[in-house]
Amino acid sequence: MGTSWSVHAVAPTAGLREEITGVLDRIIAEMSHWARDSHLSRFNRAEPGRWQPLPPGFATVLTAALDVAQASGGAFDPAMGLLANLWGFGPAGPRDGVPSDREVADALALSGVRHIEQDGARARRLSHATLDFSGIAKGHAVDAVAERLLALGIADVLVEIGGELRGEGIKPDGQPWWVDVEAAPGAPVAPIRVALHGLSIATSGDYRRSFRHEGRDYAHTLDPRTGRPLANAVASVTVLHPSAMRADAWATALGVLGPEGMALAAREGLAAHMVVRGGGEHLSPAFAAMLG
């Protein structure tokens, strides 16, 4: 996944590291778009129209991704792999310069969840659209590790992968797992600390991965509606949710929607915090209630 992981567990059992790496290795084998032999890479190479069986984790992530895509009006879209590659954020690696309007339009025409069909444990693509789970798989991995540890009887644990976290139970001192909301560099906002007790936190930000061309920064988050990197001044979005996978996807979706997306967060009951460069902070009612 190109990132690190850490686990804080109270009263860990023997062989815990092997259990964790086993979960992560399985997820990489299923959903890595960097590994050519992963299930995801094979799905993206298969002939359009042909149904393909999905491993359980892959099916779970695709179902959740399609759910958030629909609920967000397309602001989150797992079938943007062609465009991620085009902009230099995919497995093809960085590119020189930026793509032309024609290149973007051509890739956008083939992309999007309208080209993906799922039927339980099988799915197919209807065009040469390619899946890219970068906006959801990390959260799924956090959930998978946490749930494996809970199944082993480890009730008090904090799991972190690349800045996405899930906390279960409490620390030895009886306190919950307190974590700081990730701060966007250069954004003058006060620190926020939250308690993760049966709760996950995920942050999407314009500072995490980008490139600069002719004096302009291009962030890695793409707007599925335009096929282009975001240009709405959103510095970061943080979402709290019982599921790290859902928090991960919703943080991306709300970042695409910008401040107008906070009304959707309120309707969905999402605990969300948004920082806009030059536009201050935006808190959903559920997030404000947690601070209160």
Side-chain angles (χ1 to χ4, degrees):
M1 295 182 188
T3 190
S4 61
W5 64 267
S6 66
V7 171
H8 298 268
V10 178
T13 57
L16 189 59
R17 177 178 292 273
E18 290 72 19
E19 289 283 351
I20 295 168
T21 56
V23 171
L24 296 177
D25 287 347
R26 174 181 54 78
I27 293 170
I28 290 168
E30 289 185 9
M31 283 169 269
S32 171
H33 61 284
W34 306 99
R36 281 191 55 81
D37 61 345
S38 71
H39 287 277
L40 181 68
S41 294
R42 294 200 299 272
F43 180 92
N44 288 337
R45 290 196 303 270
E47 179 183 355
R50 182 165 64 85
W51 288 101
Q52 300 174 67
L54 306 178
F58 190 125
T60 295
V61 169
L62 181 56
T63 298
L66 296 178
D67 285 349
V68 176
Q70 181 176 19
S72 66
F76 179 82
D77 196 315
M80 302 297 287
L82 291 176
L83 284 152
N85 250 341
L86 185 64
W87 284 96
F89 298 120
R95 60 171 291 160
D96 293 328
V98 299
S100 68
D101 291 347
R102 172 51 60 189
E103 287 177 308
V104 173
D106 289 347
L108 186 59
L110 293 173
S111 299
V113 294
R114 67 186 183 279
H115 298 293
I116 303 295
E117 286 187 356
Q118 183 181 14
D119 177 20
R122 65 175 189 162
R124 63 179 177 177
R125 55 193 193 134
L126 304 178
S127 73
H128 288 281
T130 60
L131 292 175
D132 182 337
F133 287 155
S134 296
I136 193 170
K138 192 164 55 172
H140 167 69
V142 171
D143 286 334
V145 170
E147 287 158 14
R148 178 57 183 155
L149 299 186
L150 291 173
L152 291 172
I154 302 172
D156 306 300
V157 64
L158 179 69
V159 178
E160 179 269 335
I161 299 177
E164 324 291 33
L165 301 101
R166 174 169 162 174
E168 297 287 346
I170 57 176
K171 298 191 294 183
D173 61 4
Q175 289 288 315
W177 301 100
W178 290 99
V179 301
D180 293 330
V181 172
E182 186 175 316
V189 296
I192 300 176
R193 179 163 290 183
V194 296
L196 299 187
H197 181 68
L199 202 60
S200 302
I201 186 170
T203 298
S204 177
D206 66 355
Y207 52 88
R208 285 198 161 179
R209 192 177 172 203
S210 64
F211 69 89
R212 192 169 184 82
H213 177 70
E214 295 183 350
R216 178 180 172 184
D217 291 322
Y218 294 85
H220 76 285
T221 300
L222 303 179
D223 186 334
R225 301 166 297 185
T226 66
R228 298 178 180 277
L230 294 187
N232 59 5
V234 172
S236 68
V237 178
T238 295
V239 173
L240 293 161
H241 196 283
S243 161
M245 176 177 63
R246 298 274 176 169
D248 198 2
W250 273 113
T252 299
L254 295 176
V256 169
L257 293 171
E260 294 78 10
M262 296 306 287
L264 175 60
R267 291 196 300 272
E268 292 285 331
L270 297 171
H273 172 266
M274 180 180 293
V275 178
V276 181
R277 298 191 187 279
E281 292 179 90
H282 302 263
L283 281 67
S284 70
F287 193 94
M290 287 184 176
L291 298 182

